[in-house]
């Protein structure tokens, strides 16, 4: 087994190559799913088909563990759901989860398997914000809903230092936007952040560059760009809330980024890691060999999924239990 290196960002205790099941899953996905996602139109019927396809896949390969408690929330303008692992005892800490899938496809429900296992792994309740989706609700609807959910948790009595922001894919972009808005409005920043396969560049230039060396098994950069365009809706991708710039953001929370070595967003993950360090923040980047996009959501398919969540849980506990590290954002760590 190998340890993490600064060059490869290998997670601690992870082999330098994915498991056989992982590599077979990536090959099968590349041969079956990728051709379909690249051809699907971005009209109403295409979007609805994509939503059904992803919902079915998430439920099949990442089901909700038995005994999980789910409580729906509708407290205008906040919509979402509380997800609690069996036997969970309430406490002062909470995870705010921001799901991904191009601002268009997924929901709190599709991610219930992932958030329930995250709750089980961390021992924390997870509130998944069910933000409005494009194309029905273009920019800045999703970003505004995420900001409202964070303020709502503060109003519920949670200390910012005890809130963990977690998210995947487009949820990573929304999470970073939240930090920028918190800084702009003087709102206290969360205590920690964990991102799975975060999207950073909405022009998908970084993804296109990564594709030249290895094609993403699930979708091409061009097809993903068309989906995201339903959210940006004609706005210039260099608009401040669309082009992430963390350079002047104060008190960035300690962050863990996990990304698959087989996916095109590995370039985005590296870029976000570099931005956080350049801003004086603390960030750990883990590149999981041969893994696909948000592999943590697919435990029935990917053996490493649970191991990755264990890493995330350890990071959260270590960060929240150590207030010196938590608030020393000028110290840089690179595992």
């Amino acid at each position: 087994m190998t340890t993490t290196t600064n060059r490869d960002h290998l997670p601690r205790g992870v082999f330098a190559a994915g498991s056989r099941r992982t590599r077979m899953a990536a090959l099968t996905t590349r041969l079956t799913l990728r051709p379909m996602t690249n051809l699907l139109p971005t009209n109403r019927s295409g979007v609805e088909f994509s939503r059904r396809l992803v919902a079915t896949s998430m439920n099949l390969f990442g089901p909700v563990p038995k005994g999980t408690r789910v409580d729906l929330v509708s407290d205008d303008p906040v919509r979402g759901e509380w997800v609690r692992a069996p036997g969970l005892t309430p406490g002062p800490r909470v995870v705010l989860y921001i799901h991904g899938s191009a601002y268009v496809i997924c929901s709190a429900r599709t991610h219930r398997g992932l958030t329930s296992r995250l709750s089980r792994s961390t021992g924390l309740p997870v509130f998944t914000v069910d933000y409005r989706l494009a194309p029905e609700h273009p920019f800045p609807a999703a970003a505004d809903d995420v900001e409202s959910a964070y303020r709502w948790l503060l109003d519920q009595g949670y200390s910012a230092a005890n809130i963990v922001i977690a998210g995947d894919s487009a949820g990573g972009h929304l999470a970073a936007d939240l930090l920028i808005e918190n800084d702009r409005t003087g709102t206290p920043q969360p205590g920690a952040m964990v991102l799975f396969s975060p999207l950073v560049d909405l022009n998908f230039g970084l993804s296109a560059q990564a594709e030249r060396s290895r094609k993403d098994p699930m979708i091409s950069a061009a097809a993903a760009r068309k989906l995201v365009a339903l959210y940006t809706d004609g706005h210039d991708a260099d608009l401040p809330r669309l082009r992430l710039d963390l350079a002047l953001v104060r008190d960035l929370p300690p962050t863990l980024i996990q990304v698959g070595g087989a996916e095109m967003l590995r370039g985005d993950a590296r870029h976000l890691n570099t931005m956080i360090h350049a801003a004086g923040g603390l960030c750990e980047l883990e590149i999981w060999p041969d893994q696909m996009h948000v592999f943590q959501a697919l435990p029935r398919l990917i053996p490493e999924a649970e191991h990755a969540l264990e890493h995330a849980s350890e990071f959260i506990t270590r960060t929240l239990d150590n207030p010196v590290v938590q608030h020393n954002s000028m110290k840089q760590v690179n595992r």
Side-chain angles (χ1 to χ4, degrees):
M1 302 184 82
T2 58
T3 55
T4 305
T5 66
N6 288 339
R7 178 183 176 186
D8 296 325
H9 301 284
L10 280 170
R12 183 186 72 259
V14 173
F15 288 103
S19 64
R20 184 175 184 276
R21 280 177 57 192
T22 288
R23 288 180 278 116
M24 287 300 298
L27 176 61
T28 302
T29 301
R30 181 169 63 84
L31 295 176
T32 58
L33 182 63
R34 181 184 166 97
M36 185 187 307
T37 57
N38 287 343
L39 292 175
L40 278 174
T42 54
N43 56 22
R44 181 181 296 273
S45 60
V47 168
E48 287 301 323
F49 179 82
S50 297
R51 288 172 178 172
R52 291 194 297 270
L53 175 64
V54 172
T56 300
S57 300
M58 294 283 277
N59 184 60
L60 179 62
F61 297 117
V64 180
K66 291 182 179 180
T68 299
R69 177 177 173 182
V70 178
D71 296 301
L72 303 183
V73 172
S74 181
D75 189 2
D76 191 46
V78 177
R79 293 187 308 121
E81 61 183 39
W82 283 108
V83 179
R84 298 177 177 89
L88 185 69
T89 301
R93 296 173 176 176
V94 65
V95 177
L96 172 60
Y97 198 89
I98 311 169
H99 71 78
S101 283
Y103 313 91
V104 171
I105 294 172
C106 286
S107 66
R109 183 180 180 86
T110 63
H111 277 61
R112 197 175 289 170
L114 176 56
T115 55
S116 60
R117 288 183 294 107
L118 183 61
S119 176
R120 182 180 63 188
S121 177
T122 60
L124 301 177
V126 176
F127 180 74
T128 310
V129 53
D130 214 1
Y131 59 81
R132 290 168 291 173
L133 298 177
E136 297 88 346
H137 304 281
F139 171 82
D144 288 346
D145 289 353
V146 168
E147 187 176 1
S148 295
Y150 183 72
R151 306 289 187 274
W152 180 77
L153 285 176
L154 293 175
D155 290 341
Q156 296 294 307
Y158 288 100
S159 166
N162 284 329
I163 298 176
V164 178
I165 301 296
D168 65 89
S169 195
H173 190 282
L174 291 169
D177 173 74
L178 173 64
L179 301 185
I180 295 170
E181 286 301 295
N182 283 346
D183 184 71
R184 184 183 66 81
T185 60
T187 304
Q189 299 285 16
M193 184 164 70
V194 173
L195 302 178
F196 307 133
S197 305
L199 171 63
V200 176
D201 175 17
L202 300 191
N203 281 318
F204 285 84
L206 293 172
S207 295
Q209 184 177 354
E211 274 190 322
R212 296 188 187 107
S213 60
R214 187 173 189 174
K215 290 184 177 180
D216 190 297
M218 291 187 175
I219 194 171
S220 69
R225 187 187 304 116
K226 291 179 182 178
L227 275 175
V228 170
L230 297 175
Y231 175 65
T232 56
D233 191 33
H235 292 284
D236 192 325
D238 283 336
L239 196 70
R241 292 195 71 181
L242 295 177
R243 181 180 58 83
L244 299 177
D245 185 0
L246 300 175
L248 300 179
V249 177
R250 296 156 293 182
D251 301 323
L252 286 170
T255 300
L256 171 67
I257 300 173
Q258 293 181 344
V259 67
E263 63 171 303
M264 62 185 176
L265 290 187
R266 61 190 184 276
D268 289 59
R270 289 183 184 275
H271 181 61
L272 182 57
N273 176 59
T274 299
M275 274 203 298
I276 292 173
H277 282 298
L282 183 156
C283 187
E284 300 180 17
L285 172 63
E286 296 181 350
I287 300 179
W288 288 69
D290 298 319
Q291 297 298 337
M292 296 185 291
H293 187 58
V294 197
F295 66 95
Q296 299 86 346
L298 309 171
R300 280 185 173 173
L301 192 65
I302 307 296
E304 293 90 339
E306 295 291 359
H307 192 17
L309 286 185
E310 290 172 5
H311 275 228
S313 176
E314 291 169 3
F315 172 83
I316 290 170
T317 300
R318 170 164 41 91
T319 300
L320 297 188
D321 284 349
N322 191 340
V324 175
V325 173
Q326 186 179 5
H327 294 97
N328 186 10
S329 60
M330 294 306 294
K331 179 180 179 183
Q332 295 189 2
V333 173
N334 205 344
R335 290 176 67 182

